[in-house]
Every structure is written in C-alpha cells, then in structure tokens.
C-alpha cells in the first residue's frame, strides 16, 4: 500500500490529494508524519506541502461542493481523529466523480464526515462559551484550553470580532500553540517551555482574583435553590468542562 | 472596597433571579467601531444548578422599593437588607465580566426608588455610559419602569437591545389583590409607546441605512404562574394579546417561587409549578409557530391545559374529526397539527414527498414520533390504524406506551415537544 506522508497541515493534506491524482494512485492512505509508522509492506512517499497545489484542489472542490460541505471537510480535518484523512480522501474522490455527493448519506464517508464535522462544531461552540480570560500584569487577557479537537483555527474570528479592543491570548495546552491578538491582528504563537504556567498568581493583575470571586458570587446567587435540577445542569455543563470554568473551580 | 461590592452583588443578584428571561439573541448590533463586544445568536456561558442558562449579568440597580407587591422579594414590607449600586459600579462589573468572557451583556432591572422617572433615568444612564464611553456592543436588556416618561423610554431604546415590562400577574383582579397600588394601565403604556416607536424606527431604517438602532431585539414580558387563582386560559389570553397588540418577541412564564407567608399567596415550601410552566411554554410555542389560535387550546369548557399530555395532543384528542391527515397530500399547516410531528419533520415531509410517496419507514427517518403520530395519519402503506378508537382509548395507549418514559423525562428536562 502506498502511504502519502505529510506535515499535518491542511495545505499539506490537500497537497497529498493533488499528488494522488497526479500519480494516478488508486490504493493509498494518507498519514501525517506525526502518526506515521513505517512497516515493511507499505511504501511511504513524503509529500512536500505546496500552496499552489493545495489551492488547485481547493478551488476544484469549491466548484463541486456547497460552502457548508467545504466547511464540513475542513472541520472534519481539524478533528485529528486517526485515519480521518482516508475518510476525507474518499469523500473528495466521490465529490470529483459525481455531482451532489454531499447529500448522499448512504455513502459511509459522506455520513462520517458530516458526523465528525458536527462534533468539531460543537466543541468550537463550547469553547466560545467556556473560555475564561484572566488579565495578566502586562495587560493581556489570557485563557488556556485543552479541546478534544484542534478548534483554535475556527475560534479565531469569533474572538477577533468580539474582543477588538483588548489584547488576548488563547492557548491550547494539548497542542502547545495559541492564538494571540495584539489589537491589530491575530497570529499563531508558541510559548517557550515553562512560561505557560497559569499557577503563578503573580503574573495576574491586581484585580483579577477579585473579579473571579465576584463572578463566583454571582453564579451562586443567581441560582434558585427551590428549582434545583442537577441532572439538567450536568447535561448542559458536563463535568469534563468544569476545569475551564472559574465559577465551578473549588 | 471589594467586600462592599461583593455584598451588593450578592443581594442584588439574589433579588433579580426571579426574572427568568436571560435571552441574549435577536439583536443585530455588530462591532463596527473596533470597540468591545458583538451580538449574535446569544451564548450561554454557563448554567446554574437549577439548569438555567446564564448569558447575562442579571441584577437590580437597587432593591429599595416604594411599592409593596405581595409576590416580590423586594416589596417594601419585607424585612431584608437593602442596598444600591452606583451607575459606575454596574458599568465596571459589566465591562470586566464581559472582557473575561463570562457574559454576553447586561440585564438591568430595579426596585422603584423615589419615582418612576428617577429610577428609569439611572437605568438609562448605565446603558448610555456603556455605549458611549466604553464603545460597548454587547447585549443590553433594560427594564422599562411603568410610568416613566416617553422621553426616557425613547433614550432607553437608543441604547438597549431589548426592553421589557413584566405584567407579572395575569389578571386585573389578581393585580388588585396582590399589588393594589399598581395600575395595569401604567404597565401597558410604555409597551405601547415602545411598540409604536419601534415600528417608526424600522421604517426609518428602510429609508436611511444609517438610522440608529432602536431596541433591535424588541420587547418581552413575564407572568408569574401559580401565585393567584388564575386559569391557564387567563394566562394564555393575556399572552396572546401581548403578542398581538404590542408585537412582543417573547412572553416568559415563571412558576411562582414562594417568598412570603402572606395569606393571599401559596405558603413557603409550596413547590414551584414546573410542569404547568412547561405546558404553558408548549402552548405558547403552538401560538407562535404552529398556527394555533389561543381559543383552540384553552376555552371556557377547558380553562386549563391538561397536565398529563402536551397541548398539541390535547387539542388533537378533542378534535378527532380533523384526522386522519394524509401525509402525502395534506397542507403543511395541517401536518404541523399532528401530534408527534415537529416543525423540522413537517418541513422535511413536505420536501421529501415531492420525490416519492412516504411510508412509515420514511417518516421514522424524518424524525416523526410514530408512537403518537400513528393514530392521526395515513401514509403510503396498507398498514394503518383501522380501529375506530375513541379519544380516551388513544390517550390511554399513548400514556401507557413508551410515552410514559418520555413523559417523566420531560418533567425533569422541560423540553418542548
Ligand atoms: S414595584 Fe417591582 S420591585 Fe417593587 S415590589 Fe413591586 S414588583 Fe417588586
């Protein structure tokens, strides 16, 4: 089996799609270099990411799929689920072969892409709600997240629109990179080792702890005890998200 | 200083929580000035332990009040701690909570101190400060204080996304009993004024794109359920007239949480009528989206909604002559009336039947709850409910079937259909 190995980026993946068509490969798998494991039976080919090739594939897809379907493909890619590239490739192959493939839910890859995309979208939505910024002494609103999927690229525009007049940084601890807005634009950054520690309270502004306390107070006092309904509460805020929430912190 | 603010926040959040509205959607305010905030579909940033969405900082400006409405914790005669925020304190809290992504905006209400204008003027000042000094584009919901001047209401509309006056007591007699100093007319007046103003501004907006926003998320109101002897008919008729006469976006129904030992009210410890509240929301939904008329759901022969079954099923059972509905032929508005078929499924049915005649299998795939719907429809199949069942029998079948589970689940989860 031929395995196309790429750098783990979206343009890298699209470059693989380009190469697959270029080389007329029929039996293949696509794997990011991080996940790739060599075996004697496979022939790996390292694919160099090329913007021009990626763009050609993308504009080809734009002619065949709706905006929603294109978004689904990208969201699905961000899931980083092992082997998801193969599902995406299968879908893309169908899309180039037939018209209107995005509604053909009887095809396994089409159904899978729509399901995974929905999961990623939900995670994005949760992060929009659950991110909690803390103000640092250098005037940056700082939040850390550990999302199940790589949602930072699709969170960007939401936060950029909303917090246009404050510097902010949202850092993905799991994937070790963040998006930083410096009042002009948003860029991806990586913090040096050891500097992402949120423990050191000295890095936060004087008022930070006070506002967190106020928020906790508010959260407690807006609750109506007579209507307590923990089942519903947990359905909306599953326990695994509590770590983000100032108001749920002990 | 923080301790003072903490105490105020605790007291004034406590006093505001009985207002159930927490919606932050429906506005069109965008961040065009590189300021702070943006509105959209509304986000629930967290949920309280009672399972309600927390989207706004919901507080009173003060819980001093010159009135003595029996159902309200803030009433003059209640022996509680009183306090008041300054305008600046509310502004600071809002901005600092917003910047940390805790909230979508502010919902500011107030007890009435001195008089209506004095109170309203302060509410407006908070909103104005947020918009003009802080370039704040987040969501602002202000309470319209009954009796406030038109001038102030107009200003409020320029800064707020939504305004609301709570009717609280569904009937006039109830209001006389529980809040004798209050006049229904005073509550209606600002609603009417704002309705006309909103219509006027919308037509302006069509002419001049640049015309300022005016309460883009409209008006809402709330009624307390179960504090007086009102029937569901009283409640639904009042709600209906609020929708029809004042173009309200939403009416909220808030089960009365006992706050006093007043003999005119249910005593302390009485449970909150959550199931009734849920049935009212379902009926409200039927009015707004399913094309039902209010008197189809509640009328003199049946002044209260059935607590065991949802109002759509209730209506269907008393109107069996309208069924069965042929899924492959009937108009959308008839399909919408079938129990077990929601808005989404109804629309999908109408789309899908253009390509093929639908059978039970299709209907199931389209999300129809067949355990209810099967008694009321025919489709492309020779299997259908042939027995001539009475309403009582159908009711029995549905309630004793798997429906029982969904029923008790509905009580704890308060879902719509
Ligand atoms: S006027 Fe409003 S705040 Fe004052 S007692 Fe009546 S309901 Fe409560």
């Amino acid at each position: 089996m031929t395995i196309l190995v790429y750098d783990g980026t979206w343009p890298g993946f699209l470059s693989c799609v380009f190469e697959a068509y270029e080389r007329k490969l029929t039996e293949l798998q696509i794997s990011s270099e991080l996940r790739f494991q060599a075996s004697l039976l496979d022939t790996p080919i390292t694919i160099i990411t090329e913007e021009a090739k990626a763009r050609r594939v993308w504009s080809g897809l734009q002619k065949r799929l709706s905006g929603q379907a294109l978004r689904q493909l990208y969201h699905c890619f961000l899931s980083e689920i092992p082997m998801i590239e193969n599902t995406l490739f299968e879908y893309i192959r169908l899309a180039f072969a037939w018209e209107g493939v995005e509604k053909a839910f009887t095809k396994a890859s089409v159904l899978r892409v729509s399901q995974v995309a929905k999961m990623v979208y939900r995670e994005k939505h949760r992060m929009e709600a659950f991110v909690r910024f803390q103000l640092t002494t250098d005037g940056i609103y700082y939040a850390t997240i550990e999302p199940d999927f790589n949602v930072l690229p699709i969170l960007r525009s939401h936060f950029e629109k909303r917090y246009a007049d404050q510097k902010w940084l949202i850092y993905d601890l799991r994937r070790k990179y963040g998006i930083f807005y410096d009042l002009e634009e948003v860029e991806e950054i990586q913090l040096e080792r050891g500097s992402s520690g949120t423990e050191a309270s000295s890095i936060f502004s004087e008022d930070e702890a006070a506002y967190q306390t106020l928020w906790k107070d508010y959260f407690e006092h807006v609750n109506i005890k007579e209507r307590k309904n923990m089942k519903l509460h947990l359905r909306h805020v599953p326990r695994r998200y509590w770590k983000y929430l100032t108001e749920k912190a002990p | 200083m923080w301790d003072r603010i903490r105490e105020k926040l605790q007291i004034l959040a406590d006093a505001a929580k009985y207002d159930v509205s927490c919606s932050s959607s429906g506005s069109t305010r965008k961040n065009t000035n590189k300021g702070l905030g943006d509105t959209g579909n509304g986000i629930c940033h967290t949920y309280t332990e009672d399972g309600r969405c927390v989207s706004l900082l919901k507080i009173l400006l003060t819980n001093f009040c010159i009135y003595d409405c029996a159902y309200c914790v803030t009433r003059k005669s209640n022996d509680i701690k009183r306090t008041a925020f300054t305008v600046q304190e509310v502004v600071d809290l809002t901005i600092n909570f917003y910047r940390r992504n805790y909230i979508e905006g502010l919902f500011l209400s107030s007890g009435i101190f001195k008089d209506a204008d004095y109170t309203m003027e302060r509410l407006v000042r908070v909103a104005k400060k947020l918009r003009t000094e802080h370039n704040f584009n987040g969501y602002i919901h202000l309470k319209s204080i009954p009796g406030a001047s038109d001038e102030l209401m107009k200003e409020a509309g320029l800064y707020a996304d939504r305004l609301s006056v709570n009717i609280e007591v569904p009937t006039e007699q109830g209001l006389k009993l529980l809040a004798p100093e209050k006049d229904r007319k005073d509550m209606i007046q600002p609603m009417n004024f704002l309705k006309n103003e909103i219509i006027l501004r919308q037509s302006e907006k069509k002419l001049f794109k640049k015309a300022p926003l005016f309460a883009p998320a409209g008006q809402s109101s709330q009624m307390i359920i179960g504090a007086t002897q009102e029937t569901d008919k009283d409640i639904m008729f009042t709600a209906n007239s609020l929708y029809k006469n004042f173009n309200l976006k939403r009416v909220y129904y808030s089960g009365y949480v006992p706050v006093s030992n007043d003999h005119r009210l249910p005593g302390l410890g009485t449970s909150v009528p959550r199931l009734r509240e849920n049935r009212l929301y379902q009926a409200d939904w039927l009015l707004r989206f399913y094309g039902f008329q209010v008197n189809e759901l509640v009328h003199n022969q049946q002044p209260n909604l059935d607590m065991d079954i949802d109002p759509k099923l209730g209506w269907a059972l008393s109107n069996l002559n309208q069924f069965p509905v042929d899924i492959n032929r009937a108009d959308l508005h008839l399909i919408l009336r079938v129990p077990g078929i929601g808005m989404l499924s109804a629309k999908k049915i109408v789309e899908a039947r253009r390509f093929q005649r639908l059978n039970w299998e299709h209907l199931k795939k389209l999300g129809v709850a067949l355990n209810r719907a099967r008694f009321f429809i025919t489709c492309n199949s020779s299997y259908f409910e042939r027995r001539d069942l009475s309403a009582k029998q159908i009711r029995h079948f549905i309630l004793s079937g798997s429906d029982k589970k969904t029923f008790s689940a509905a009580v704890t989860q308060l879902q719509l259909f």
Side-chain angles (χ1 to χ4, degrees):
Chain A
M1 170 91 62
T2 310
I3 302 191
L4 304 184
V5 183
Y6 74 109
D7 61 2
T9 66
W10 177 239
F13 168 73
L14 293 176
S15 302
C16 290
V17 175
F18 185 91
E19 291 296 333
Y21 275 86
E22 184 83 350
R23 299 172 193 223
K24 300 202 169 54
L25 301 171
T26 45
E27 286 274 302
L28 81 148
Q29 294 203 348
I30 301 177
S31 170
S32 81
E33 57 195 12
L34 267 175
R35 288 238 173 76
F36 173 67
Q37 277 171 344
S39 106
L40 282 176
L41 301 173
D42 298 326
T43 334
I45 306 176
T46 302
I47 301 295
I48 312 287
T49 301
E50 282 182 56
E51 282 292 334
K53 289 179 181 170
R55 215 168 301 129
R56 269 184 62 192
V57 174
W58 189 242
S59 62
L61 287 170
Q62 280 174 324
K63 288 191 198 103
R64 307 193 146 250
L65 296 170
S66 70
Q68 196 200 353
L70 292 167
R71 232 177 352 259
Q72 281 180 345
L73 281 178
Y74 181 51
H75 285 192
C76 188
F77 174 78
L78 294 176
S79 74
E80 299 178 334
I81 292 172
M83 322 267 270
I84 197 69
E85 292 97 335
N86 300 329
T87 310
L88 286 166
F89 183 69
E90 183 55 37
Y91 184 118
I92 290 172
R93 204 162 19 194
L94 290 172
F96 281 127
W98 296 338
E99 206 70 43
V101 82
E102 56 191 87
K103 290 259 147 51
F105 294 116
T106 44
K107 301 278 179 217
S109 61
V110 178
L111 186 65
R112 177 86 177 133
V113 165
S114 81
Q115 287 167 339
V116 173
K118 202 177 275 168
M119 282 156 49
V120 173
Y121 183 78
R122 227 178 265 148
E123 186 76 350
K124 162 189 186 272
H125 198 73
R126 286 211 181 96
M127 290 303 130
E128 287 170 359
F130 294 159
V131 155
R132 296 285 181 265
F133 288 116
Q134 309 186 55
L135 181 59
T136 63
T137 41
D138 33 8
I140 297 169
Y141 286 84
Y142 176 58
T144 55
I145 57 176
E146 298 168 67
D148 292 348
F149 311 119
N150 181 21
V151 290
L152 277 184
I154 47 176
L155 278 180
R156 188 182 178 133
S157 88
H158 172 83
F159 284 98
E160 194 175 4
K161 265 188 231 138
R162 176 163 293 223
Y163 297 112
D165 76 337
Q166 72 190 44
K167 290 186 189 168
W168 51 262
L169 166 60
I170 305 174
Y171 206 77
D172 184 337
L173 293 175
R174 191 179 291 187
R175 293 167 190 80
K176 303 206 173 40
Y177 81 105
I179 47 177
F180 174 60
Y181 173 72
D182 61 359
L183 299 179
E184 295 292 330
E185 55 183 8
V186 180
E187 52 181 356
E188 276 184 19
I189 61 161
Q190 276 176 318
L191 295 178
E192 284 152 35
R193 250 144 67 69
S195 62
S196 66
T198 48
E199 273 35 272
S201 59
S202 63
I203 70 164
F204 293 114
S205 81
E206 232 176 282
D207 294 348
E208 182 52 40
Y211 278 111
Q212 290 185 19
T213 311
L214 285 169
W215 174 242
K216 278 191 198 174
D217 284 344
Y218 175 69
F219 179 72
E220 224 163 88
H221 284 267
V222 79
N223 179 43
I224 299 181
K225 288 195 190 64
E226 292 87 339
R227 299 180 64 111
K228 187 165 174 152
N229 188 344
M230 283 309 273
K231 223 165 125 186
L232 190 57
H233 174 69
L234 288 172
R235 203 169 55 132
H236 288 306
V237 198
R239 262 178 223 280
R240 61 202 191 92
Y241 292 98
W242 288 16
K243 59 175 181 267
Y244 299 115
L245 303 176
T246 316
E247 64 275 15
K248 292 305 262 180
Chain B
M1 157 197 148
W2 292 111
D3 285 344
R4 289 269 302 135
I5 299 280
R6 277 188 75 177
E7 189 184 19
K8 287 186 186 185
L9 181 61
Q10 290 169 0
I11 294 173
L12 295 169
D14 246 325
K17 69 186 172 196
Y18 300 98
D19 207 310
V20 292
S21 155
C22 199
S23 160
S24 56
S25 57
S27 187
T28 51
R29 199 176 300 276
K30 289 288 159 230
N31 192 349
T32 48
N33 51 3
K34 230 187 171 198
L36 173 63
D38 200 46
T39 69
N41 290 331
I43 296 175
C44 291
H45 285 274
T46 189
Y47 291 81
T48 45
E49 291 194 345
D50 56 24
R52 293 185 307 158
C53 156
V54 179
S55 160
L56 301 172
L57 170 61
K58 182 168 24 174
I59 47 176
L60 299 191
L61 185 60
T62 178
N63 66 340
F64 284 106
C65 190
I66 55 174
Y67 287 100
D68 202 34
C69 311
Y71 47 81
C72 175
V73 261
T74 303
R75 67 189 180 278
K76 188 172 59 185
S77 63
N78 200 14
D79 183 20
I80 49 164
K81 210 157 188 182
R82 308 276 166 174
T83 187
F85 277 127
T86 65
V87 168
Q88 192 59 44
E89 283 167 346
V90 176
V91 169
D92 288 344
L93 272 178
T94 308
I95 294 291
N96 277 288
F97 279 11
Y98 196 90
R99 288 198 183 284
R100 286 170 174 75
N101 205 40
Y102 297 164
I103 53 171
E104 292 291 288
L106 172 69
F107 177 1
L108 188 61
S109 178
S110 185
I112 298 171
F113 52 121
K114 272 201 171 146
D115 58 45
D117 272 355
Y118 191 88
T119 311
M120 193 70 213
E121 193 265 332
R122 269 166 183 69
L123 299 188
V124 171
R125 201 136 38 96
V126 170
K128 181 175 182 177
K129 228 177 166 141
L130 282 168
R131 296 282 190 232
T132 57
E133 287 177 26
H134 294 268
N135 276 331
F136 181 69
N137 305 301
Y139 195 90
I140 300 181
H141 178 163
L142 291 186
K143 203 33 81 67
S144 333
I145 304 295
S149 74
D150 289 356
E151 275 316 301
L152 278 171
M153 292 314 302
K154 216 183 260 179
E155 236 194 314
L158 285 175
Y159 301 121
D161 295 285
R162 166 165 286 181
L163 291 152
S164 65
V165 184
N166 287 355
I167 289 287
E168 301 291 20
V169 186
T171 63
E172 265 202 272
Q173 307 93 284
L175 192 66
K176 280 225 176 71
L177 179 74
L178 296 178
E181 315 141 294
K182 272 195 173 167
D183 194 340
R184 191 67 167 269
K185 276 205 282 319
D186 286 342
M187 301 184 179
I188 297 295
Q189 202 273 335
M191 250 188 238
N192 199 28
F193 174 77
L194 285 170
K195 179 197 85 174
N196 293 329
E197 202 70 12
I198 290 171
I199 294 174
L200 186 80
R201 301 292 179 134
Q202 276 166 350
S203 53
E204 262 178 33
K205 193 97 189 140
K206 277 192 200 116
L207 290 176
F208 317 102
K209 275 259 146 22
K210 278 247 137 61
L213 290 174
F214 190 88
Q219 299 194 75
S220 65
S221 188
Q222 163 173 298
M223 278 185 270
I224 301 177
I225 306 312
T228 57
Q229 298 303 315
E230 81 285 335
T231 61
D232 292 343
K233 176 176 167 248
D234 296 328
I235 297 165
M236 291 314 299
F237 271 68
T238 303
N240 190 54
S241 85
L242 292 174
Y243 285 128
K244 293 255 145 74
N245 299 331
F246 307 108
N247 302 344
L248 256 60
K249 284 273 170 21
R250 281 296 297 276
V251 174
Y252 292 91
Y253 308 93
S254 170
Y256 175 68
V257 180
V259 291
S260 118
N261 258 334
D262 192 312
H263 65 276
R264 293 169 292 178
L265 287 163
L268 292 174
T270 315
S271 62
V272 182
R274 291 194 357 216
L275 179 56
R276 185 174 180 205
E277 198 183 277
N278 190 36
R279 293 282 177 244
L280 286 164
Y281 276 114
Q282 291 176 320
D284 183 273
W285 216 255
L286 293 179
L287 289 189
R288 290 190 298 142
F289 303 115
Y290 285 77
F292 280 84
Q293 297 300 315
V294 66
N295 52 13
E296 291 182 290
L297 302 172
V298 278
H299 40 77
N300 285 337
Q301 281 77 50
Q302 203 200 340
N304 287 308
L305 296 167
D306 194 325
M307 287 299 116
D308 292 339
I309 53 177
D310 71 71
K312 195 173 173 189
L313 180 57
W315 173 82
L317 290 178
S318 23
N319 292 275
L320 282 180
N321 58 330
Q322 312 253 1
F323 298 98
V325 163
D326 182 348
I327 286 298
N328 288 301
R329 288 230 173 73
D331 283 349
L332 176 64
H333 77 268
L334 289 176
I335 293 178
L336 279 172
R337 290 184 165 232
V338 176
I341 302 187
M343 185 66 77
L344 230 62
S345 316
K347 285 191 176 146
K348 280 192 196 150
I349 288 172
V350 176
E351 290 261 310
R353 72 185 182 188
R354 287 191 300 177
F355 302 103
Q356 64 195 126
R357 288 170 46 77
L358 306 175
N359 60 29
W360 296 114
E361 210 38 53
H362 295 131
L363 291 176
K364 206 164 162 191
K365 281 221 180 89
L366 295 176
V368 172
L370 289 180
N371 59 342
R372 295 148 189 253
R374 70 189 168 98
F375 298 101
F376 304 97
I377 53 179
T378 56
C379 59
N380 190 26
S381 162
S382 49
Y383 296 102
F384 56 89
E385 191 57 63
R386 288 159 201 279
R387 291 170 295 178
D388 196 8
L389 296 170
S390 70
K392 217 168 160 184
Q393 285 168 312
I394 297 177
R395 186 189 164 98
H396 178 75
F397 279 127
I398 291 180
L399 279 181
S400 62
S402 56
D403 228 68
K404 200 128 205 188
K405 260 185 257 128
T406 45
F407 164 72
S408 58
V411 179
T412 40
Q413 304 186 344
L414 300 185
Q415 283 167 331
L416 286 157
F417 294 96

